[in-house]
Amino acid sequence: MSDPVFPAIAIIGTGLIGASIARAAAEYDAAGSISLYDASDDVRRRAAGLGLGDVADTLEAAVAEADCVLLCVPVGALAAVAAAAVPYMKTGAILTDVGSVKGEAAAALMAADDGRVHIIPGHPIAGTEQSGPEAGFATLFRDAWHILTPGPRTDEAYLAAVDGLTRFWQALGSKVETMDTARHDRVLAITSHLPHLIAFNIVATAFDMETVEEGEVVKYSAGGFRDFTRIAASDPVMWRDVFLTNKEAVLECLGRFSEDLAVLQRAIRWGDGDMLMREFTRARTIRKAIIDAGQDSSAVNFGRNPHLETETDEA
């Protein structure tokens, strides 16, 4: 066993992300010991049964000896959980989170700062539509980006803490980058938050259409719609908090999206095939760029149908 990055970590919240951190930290020797806590009695029992780590009965007990405390709770709960955790943390320990909104998350964590701990907000750009401790798996963060949004401190101890947290996520397989909170929230608004909002809306619209029976929506679902339903199956509590806490960036992106959608609507109405071809061709290049960057597979149907040898389009 190699030397762990942190002798002890505490994971607060044992859903998909928390459980995956626990499994990855154990698998890749990133932590010497792992303590966990969840506010739900049922989730704690399930986490204990899965052998994810030492499940504590209280938040205070979970964080007391940890060198790094990872808050894996919805963004809306961060302020209360951070305020409850910090007084019981060791001096010099790291407090971080995994929320996909960093402006509000950083403010929530900093509000709990008592000057003894190192607060370093973070966000793993990884996940699935599954939730609960059973959904966690060790390779979730492999080759995924993890964004850190450190505070303005430049003292040696804080910079060493940022380095330690960077090495921890690298040990879990992540590629780590730092940026400021405002930039993070703008980038994620267009690459993650708006696509989820669109997915939720498309699925709801399909089931609300008077001309389409619910059974037909399920029976004749094409690949594109099925992918939207997968995204729309994500944790509603988490996404409610995302949209409420990253409101400005999401609304800015949504306004631009609505304007661009109106252009396509006009082209369809007036039969402007040339304009549609230009826009579709331009959009298609983004897919190639994502594959070339190693962010997705070029396999047919995302590799779900390995028997297919040539790519087909499914309307």
Side-chain angles (χ1 to χ4, degrees), residues 4-203:
V5 179
F6 294 121
I9 65 170
I11 300 169
I12 310 304
T14 52
L16 166 70
I17 299 297
S20 294
I21 293 172
R23 291 197 180 280
E27 177 75 17
Y28 305 122
D29 298 331
S33 66
I34 303 168
S35 62
L36 305 105
Y37 175 77
D38 195 283
S40 166
D41 294 341
D42 176 61
V43 171
R44 290 201 303 275
R45 284 192 296 268
R46 288 154 58 195
L50 292 167
L52 296 178
D54 298 321
V55 180
D57 291 329
T58 65
L59 173 68
E60 295 84 353
V63 306
E65 299 300 323
D67 301 285
C68 178
V69 174
L70 301 106
L71 303 185
C72 304
V73 300
V75 176
L78 276 176
V81 176
V86 168
Y88 297 93
M89 290 174 58
K90 297 193 304 184
T91 297
I94 295 170
L95 179 66
T96 188
D97 75 306
V98 297
S100 67
V101 178
K102 293 273 63 78
E104 289 282 341
L109 297 186
M110 289 304 299
D113 187 13
D114 63 0
R116 300 182 307 105
V117 301
H118 302 302
I119 293 177
I120 311 169
H123 175 211
I125 304 180
T128 74
E129 72 276 16
Q130 303 299 317
S131 59
E134 296 84 2
F137 56 100
T139 58
L140 178 62
F141 311 108
R142 183 181 296 171
D143 296 325
W145 285 103
H146 187 88
I147 299 177
L148 295 179
T149 58
R153 287 175 52 185
T154 58
D155 57 280
E156 185 177 346
Y158 187 76
L159 296 180
V162 173
D163 178 68
L165 189 57
T166 298
R167 289 186 289 108
F168 174 78
W169 282 102
Q170 289 172 336
L172 270 53
S174 295
K175 300 174 290 185
V176 181
E177 183 168 317
T178 61
M179 63 177 65
D180 64 71
T181 58
R183 178 186 169 200
H184 170 278
D185 289 353
R186 288 194 304 270
V187 170
L188 268 294
I190 189 63
T191 62
S192 175
H193 304 166
L194 184 59
H196 276 80
L197 187 66
I198 294 169
F200 289 130
N201 194 56
I202 285 178
V203 173

Side-chain angles (χ1 to χ4, degrees), residues 161-294:
V162 173
D163 178 68
L165 189 57
T166 298
R167 289 186 289 108
F168 174 78
W169 282 102
Q170 289 172 336
L172 270 53
S174 295
K175 300 174 290 185
V176 181
E177 183 168 317
T178 61
M179 63 177 65
D180 64 71
T181 58
R183 178 186 169 200
H184 170 278
D185 289 353
R186 288 194 304 270
V187 170
L188 268 294
I190 189 63
T191 62
S192 175
H193 304 166
L194 184 59
H196 276 80
L197 187 66
I198 294 169
F200 289 130
N201 194 56
I202 285 178
V203 173
T205 299
F207 279 85
D208 286 344
M209 287 178 61
E210 295 180 358
T211 57
V212 178
E213 296 293 334
E214 181 175 326
E216 291 176 322
V217 171
V218 174
K219 182 177 180 179
Y220 300 116
S221 292
F225 185 75
R226 290 198 301 269
D227 286 334
F228 278 121
T229 63
R230 178 187 60 78
I231 295 172
S234 300
D235 181 6
V237 173
M238 180 186 77
W239 283 103
R240 175 202 63 192
D241 287 357
V242 165
F243 291 119
L244 292 178
T245 55
N246 198 26
K247 179 166 55 178
E248 291 185 7
V250 170
L251 289 175
E252 179 182 345
C253 291
L254 187 59
R256 177 63 181 270
F257 174 81
S258 299
E259 293 170 2
D260 292 343
L261 185 61
V263 171
L264 294 177
Q265 181 182 22
R266 190 180 309 112
I268 294 170
R269 184 182 303 279
W270 294 103
D272 190 347
D274 290 340
M275 190 275 175
L276 293 174
M277 278 295 296
R278 286 195 303 272
E279 289 303 298
F280 296 165
T281 300
R282 184 166 67 98
R284 191 174 186 176
T285 62
I286 300 298
R287 176 64 183 167
K288 183 178 185 302
I290 289 173
I291 293 171
D292 290 345

